[in-house]
Amino acid sequence: MAEFQSFLLRTCISFAFLFALTSSNSTFVCDPARFAELKLEMSSFAFCDKSLPFAVRVKDLVDQMTLEEKVQQLGNLASGVPRIGLPSYQWWSEALHGVSDVGPGTFFDSVVPGATSFPTVILTTASFNESLWKTIGQAVSTEARAMYNLGRAGLTYWSPTINVVRDPRWGRTIETPGEDPFIVGKYAATYVRGLQDVDGFEKSKDLNSRPLKVSSCCKHYTAYDVDNWNGVDRLHFDARVTEQDMEETFQRPFEMCVKEGDASSVMCSYNRVNGIPTCADPKLLNQTLRGEWDLHGYIVSDCDSIEVMVDDHKFLGDTNEDAVARTLKAGLNLDCGVYYTNFTANSVQQGKVREGDIDKSLKYLYTVLMRLGFFDGNTKYESLGKNDVCSRQHIELATEAAREGIVLLKNDEHTLPLNSSNFKTLAVVGPHANATKAMIGNYAGIPCRYTSPIGGFSAYANVSYSMGCGDIACKNDSLIFPAVQTAVNADATIILAGLDLSVEAEGLDRENLLLPGSQTELINQVAETAKGPVVLVIMSAGGVDISFIKNNTKIKAILWAGYPGEEGGQAIADIVFGKYNPGGRLPVTWYGADYVNMLPLTSMTFRPVDSLHYPGRTYRFFDGFTVYPFGYGLSYTQFKYNITYSASSISIKLDKFQHCRSINYTDGIQPPQCPGVQTNDLACDETIKFQLAIQNIGNVDGSEVVIVYSKPPRGITRTHFKQVIGFQRVFVEAGQSEKVTFKFNACESLKIVDYAANSLLPSGEHSIIFGDSGVSVPLNVIY
């Protein structure tokens, strides 16, 4: 998100307004003492009457404003209306993996010097632990409310990022939950619940009045995953997307975020989709978000998106007034920028948009602020303060999140875990050996503290450190020899290498899938001369082709640590020395380096394009060489799966209004008499249940991630190989067994999306696959 050309100006202006409430020792609008200080009679303003429904109060608030006053509330910095006691409000705050100071709504100073910086989303997702995702959201929102009480933060957070990782080169993989749309959507809904939910009000009768702890925003809607590649950037890109891919992949996480997470905001993206800027598309905004999915909240633009529409997309030759009219009528309620505040009044005067469209947007916006307690306060959270930010519990949670996400990729001869009694001296080398800021990635604030890898390993052994490279670019080999010398006499060597924000980031897509510069040479030379076992730790978001390391017998073990947050060094050391048994799984495919030579980043299709010889994308449609597949991850123990209960078939009797639909099969395979039925025509109340016993047959306690896939009937053309339909992380003591139960909705878990974007439940023999255990069961759908 964010065009930062006007960022500094907005920041300075925002700080001037940030204390509009707290300077009068009040943290909510409708405080009688505050109105008395303003010399206003609060009882004369119905919007402060708590006995009235929110809808009535918000209408009264909006009705009291003039047109000029209304339009000044439509930008991310709402100026307020002093004559009616309405203060300014800065809508833009961020909380992707901790409270951030990106965006002018939040800042750190001597009162609150920092906030807990959890692992970046790609690593947290690798834990495959929904309860962890929600707990992190709850911790982040607690710190956000505490900072709000102290006048250092807002209540509206434009997080999380929930775009699917379609291509390994995308620079913002670091922010996302990976390549599977179901997992991305499940993360989105769970994290949003953690941020927003107030205990006891998770399922209020009127969701438009449901109290919020903080407001969360799912972004960037939609089909956005090109930042800056080979001369193509997000400000000009037109994503040409099939309706099949929209239904099956791009839209699914956003639908789950709105329907399951009840997110109170969605952000539209910079790009066009099939020729239309997303922020100006009434089908995407009014019809889908607001209509079909029933969003209970507001829609906001990515920053300066309306300006981008005019100046970069040059959409339909729109003037500034044309553009604001178009986006308002399409359903865009809030402009992160100044176009709405500068040009909407003129647009009304020119007859291009109605004042009623402005009123509608303001009602959505101020309803969310009412739900947050901005007007009435919230006694549940008013006691939160400085001690609730960077608490010991939150720092430990950040460490635990990193431990749970880290993935063990290789462990020859059971080299790991190291025993501190046998390995007393360590060589810790490489460009990430002393990592601090690199560990917290982007959209990060100021962390509570850092525990670098050197710091983490120093608790277990005597550490000798050598950089090996001057930085991640590692443009020369001048520092390799000192690193080699460091490893010569150490009992074991830990190499920390990988990528950082200079390689993969917002506005910066990757050119290749290799380690930068001389990092490969550093790793090979250190491994060749090291006295003891060599362990490689990769920090990255996207996959890296490390085939040479995978096949190097002198490198005994490999860990992927993502960007592990402020306590990353501690988490890595805890795993290497066996305090924690790794259980993370890769949330993205690690392709071979030649994959990026087979197709451009800008080709938006997931299925192979045979005419252009483009391969498919993600584990669902790609069956070529991978360095490591999606869902891969090892443990220090072994697990065995036994199915104790399994559904075997589903029989659905069709009535005269439910009709069979054709499905394309490969030549030589006879389709069933009734190939499939549209899910919209079915009740879709059938469930399928499976129970497994997960047995730990090793000698170490550990957690197993059970990923469940469905595979469609054999012979259906151009559909997925398999798709994730559920997952659980289960802890099993050594020698013990734990039962895991899965219940799936048949339509959601077995459906396919055909070329015409129809969601169909095919008849025939589906397969339910449990991870990479080799265990699967058939499931017949019969009409």
Side-chain angles (χ1 to χ4, degrees):
M1 192 202 105
E3 281 284 280
F4 288 107
Q5 294 175 349
S6 54
F7 174 79
L8 292 177
L9 176 60
R10 288 186 213 150
T11 301
C12 294
I13 295 171
S14 296
F15 285 163
F17 285 98
L18 197 56
F19 294 94
L21 287 176
T22 54
S23 61
S24 60
N25 297 316
S26 178
T27 57
F28 59 98
V29 174
C30 296
D31 181 350
R34 178 178 170 275
F35 269 77
E37 184 180 321
L38 295 172
K39 294 181 172 52
L40 294 172
E41 182 56 54
M42 194 177 83
S43 61
S44 65
F45 297 101
F47 66 81
C48 279
D49 185 346
K50 296 181 185 180
S51 68
L52 297 174
F54 285 167
V56 175
R57 295 174 64 185
V58 168
K59 183 179 186 304
D60 176 73
L61 173 65
V62 174
D63 286 349
Q64 295 203 46
M65 299 184 202
T66 66
L67 173 62
E68 289 72 19
E69 289 168 339
K70 289 175 182 179
V71 299
Q72 293 306 311
Q73 318 313 315
L74 292 174
N76 61 284
L77 177 57
S79 64
V81 185
R83 67 177 183 83
I84 62 172
L86 181 68
S88 64
Y89 181 73
Q90 175 55 258
W91 287 87
W92 180 7
S93 292
E94 302 277 356
L96 183 63
H97 55 101
V99 180
S100 168
D101 57 357
V102 174
T106 303
F107 69 95
F108 298 103
D109 61 7
S110 59
V111 176
V112 182
T116 310
S117 190
F118 293 89
T120 58
V121 175
I122 192 69
L123 184 68
T124 297
T125 305
S127 70
F128 283 83
N129 185 344
E130 286 185 68
S131 65
L132 174 69
W133 300 346
K134 185 172 183 179
T135 302
I136 291 173
Q138 291 169 331
V140 171
S141 57
T142 291
E143 296 198 359
R145 286 292 316 206
M147 290 180 65
Y148 172 75
N149 290 346
L150 295 166
R152 268 70 187 164
L155 293 170
T156 47
Y157 290 83
W158 293 347
S159 307
T161 297
I162 62 165
N163 301 98
V164 171
V165 178
R166 179 181 52 85
D167 188 288
R169 289 164 286 192
W170 188 34
R172 300 187 78 169
T173 297
I174 184 174
E175 302 173 37
T176 73
E179 73 180 41
D180 180 83
F182 172 80
I183 293 171
V184 174
K186 189 61 69 175
Y187 176 90
T190 305
Y191 185 67
V192 166
R193 287 284 178 182
L195 288 175
Q196 292 195 159
D197 281 1
V198 176
D199 291 345
F201 294 93
E202 293 86 353
K203 295 183 178 180
S204 299
K205 187 175 181 180
D206 178 11
L207 293 176
N208 285 307
S209 299
R210 185 172 78 94
L212 299 171
K213 189 178 180 185
V214 300
S215 170
S216 177
C217 173
C218 286
K219 63 185 186 184
H220 310 79
Y221 181 75
T222 184
Y224 164 62
D225 54 16
V226 173
D227 263 65
N228 192 348
W229 178 81
N230 202 28
V232 179
D233 67 65
R234 59 186 178 170
L235 307 184
H236 299 85
F237 184 56
D238 183 10
R240 309 305 293 191
V241 183
T242 67
E243 289 296 325
Q244 182 181 38
D245 282 334
M246 284 290 282
E247 171 71 19
E248 185 177 55
T249 300
F250 291 114
Q251 295 288 74
R252 191 177 187 189
F254 289 95
E255 182 176 8
M256 293 173 70
C257 176
V258 172
K259 288 184 174 180
E260 296 180 23
D262 193 28
S264 52
S265 179
V266 172
M267 175 183 287
C268 51
S269 52
Y270 290 119
N271 56 289
R272 284 171 285 161
V273 174
N274 298 327
I276 305 173
T278 63
C279 294
D281 190 337
K283 182 178 185 294
L284 289 176
L285 306 187
N286 278 335
Q287 182 179 324
T288 304
L289 273 178
R290 187 72 66 191
E292 294 174 19
W293 300 347
D294 192 22
L295 172 69
H296 306 115
Y298 68 96
I299 302 170
V300 61
S301 71
D302 205 339
C303 290
D304 299 318
S305 284
I306 305 176
E307 180 181 353
V308 166
M309 192 172 98
V310 174
D311 293 345
D312 297 299
H313 292 304
K314 302 186 186 305
F315 185 61
L316 299 180
D318 277 355
T319 65
N320 298 331
E321 287 77 14
D322 291 331
V324 298
R326 190 180 304 282
T327 53
L328 266 171
K329 288 187 282 188
L332 179 66
N333 309 127
L334 183 68
D335 171 25
C336 178
V338 295
Y339 261 52
Y340 271 3
T341 56
N342 286 351
F343 303 114
T344 304
N346 284 344
S347 189
V348 174
Q349 297 292 345
Q350 294 172 15
K352 294 179 176 180
V353 68
R354 300 182 181 191
E355 187 172 0
D357 292 315
I358 298 170
D359 293 351
K360 187 183 296 183
S361 286
L362 290 174
K363 289 171 184 176
Y364 289 132
L365 292 165
Y366 282 107
T367 297
V368 168
L369 288 181
M370 289 234 176
R371 294 169 62 191
L372 286 162
F374 181 72
F375 284 84
D376 302 331
N378 192 316
T379 56
K380 189 176 183 70
Y381 305 118
E382 65 183 12
S383 64
L384 295 176
K386 185 173 182 176
N387 291 338
D388 298 291
V389 183
C390 287
S391 66
R392 181 175 52 82
Q393 293 89 341
H394 289 177
I395 293 172
E396 174 54 32
L397 179 63
T399 315
E400 177 63 18
R403 294 187 194 110
E404 290 196 23
I406 290 172
V407 180
L408 179 63
L409 297 174
K410 177 181 178 180
N411 195 23
D412 288 355
E413 301 169 15
H414 303 288
T415 296
L416 295 182
L418 302 181
N419 187 321
S420 58
S421 299
N422 300 329
F423 295 90
K424 297 183 181 298
T425 60
L426 284 183
V428 180
V429 305
H432 277 315
N434 196 29
T436 52
K437 192 173 182 180
M439 296 192 300
I440 64 175
N442 65 348
Y443 283 85
I446 299 174
C448 312
R449 66 186 195 190
Y450 288 113
T451 301
S452 69
I454 291 174
F457 283 115
S458 294
Y460 290 96
N462 245 341
V463 169
S464 297
Y465 162 60
S466 183
M467 293 174 65
C469 295
D471 54 20
I472 287 298
C474 202
K475 291 184 176 178
N476 60 65
D477 57 5
S478 62
L479 297 174
I480 292 179
F481 182 70
V484 170
Q485 292 298 103
T486 302
V488 166
N489 297 314
D491 294 335
T493 297
I494 315 295
I495 305 173
L496 291 108
L499 314 177
D500 66 9
L501 296 181
S502 68
V503 178
E504 51 178 357
E506 180 177 10
L508 180 64
D509 297 318
R510 294 166 66 184
E511 296 178 0
N512 59 60
L513 304 184
L514 302 172
L515 289 171
S518 298
Q519 285 195 42
T520 298
E521 186 179 352
L522 166 70
I523 293 166
N524 283 334
Q525 288 194 31
V526 169
E528 184 65 30
T529 57
K531 182 185 79 170
V534 177
V535 177
L536 175 67
V537 180
I538 294 290
M539 286 192 198
S540 73
V544 182
D545 187 346
I546 52 171
S547 302
F548 74 96
I549 303 167
K550 181 180 177 182
N551 300 320
N552 187 334
T553 58
K554 296 195 174 184
I555 298 172
K556 299 298 184 183
I558 306 172
L559 291 167
W560 174 70
Y563 296 105
E566 64 175 55
E567 294 298 308
Q570 186 64 57
I572 293 167
D574 287 346
I575 285 177
V576 168
F577 278 92
K579 182 178 179 181
Y580 192 87
N581 184 356
R585 300 295 182 91
L586 291 178
V588 292
T589 300
W590 282 32
Y591 301 87
D594 64 341
Y595 180 82
V596 301
N597 299 320
M598 299 179 186
L599 76 174
L601 176 59
T602 49
S603 171
M604 298 297 290
T605 58
F606 280 82
R607 288 162 176 77
V609 182
D610 296 335
S611 61
L612 298 173
H613 306 292
Y614 292 170
R617 297 180 180 278
T618 78
Y619 77 92
R620 291 177 299 143
F621 300 104
F622 178 71
D623 60 355
F625 168 77
T626 61
V627 181
Y628 292 106
F630 171 88
Y632 184 82
L634 305 174
S635 171
Y636 294 156
T637 189
Q638 300 82 43
F639 297 94
K640 182 179 179 182
Y641 292 18
N642 293 298
I643 298 175
T644 57
Y645 177 83
S646 171
S648 59
S649 66
I650 300 170
S651 183
I652 300 173
K653 186 175 181 180
L654 302 179
D655 62 32
K656 63 181 180 179
F657 301 107
Q658 296 169 313
H659 304 287
C660 298
R661 303 282 177 165
S662 63
I663 294 176
N664 292 331
Y665 276 76
T666 54
D667 293 341
I669 294 182
Q670 181 65 36
Q673 185 175 356
C674 181
V677 177
Q678 284 197 16
T679 55
N680 287 341
D681 292 339
L682 297 171
C684 284
D685 52 9
E686 293 85 8
T687 59
I688 47 180
K689 179 180 176 181
F690 303 92
Q691 191 172 76
L692 290 82
I694 310 298
Q695 185 180 4
N696 184 338
I697 58 176
N699 300 316
V700 182
D701 297 347
S703 293
E704 172 72 346
V705 171
V706 183
I707 304 177
V708 187
Y709 303 86
S710 70
K711 182 178 181 179
R714 186 174 68 91
I716 297 177
T717 62
R718 295 189 66 75
T719 191
H720 50 266
F721 300 125
K722 61 181 181 179
Q723 63 181 350
V724 174
I725 60 173
F727 55 89
Q728 289 188 43
R729 185 182 180 109
V730 56
F731 177 78
V732 189
E733 293 181 356
Q736 299 300 306
S737 181
E738 294 288 341
K739 287 186 177 180
V740 179
T741 301
F742 291 95
K743 290 182 180 179
F744 303 114
N745 177 274
C747 286
E748 283 299 310
S749 300
L750 304 177
K751 70 181 179 182
I752 66 169
V753 178
D754 71 6
Y755 69 94
N758 296 310
S759 174
L760 302 169
L761 179 59
S763 63
E765 184 176 286
H766 299 250
S767 297
I768 306 299
I769 304 166
F770 299 94
D772 55 4
S773 64
V775 175
S776 66
V777 294
L779 180 72
N780 276 292
V781 175
I782 304 165
Y783 291 114

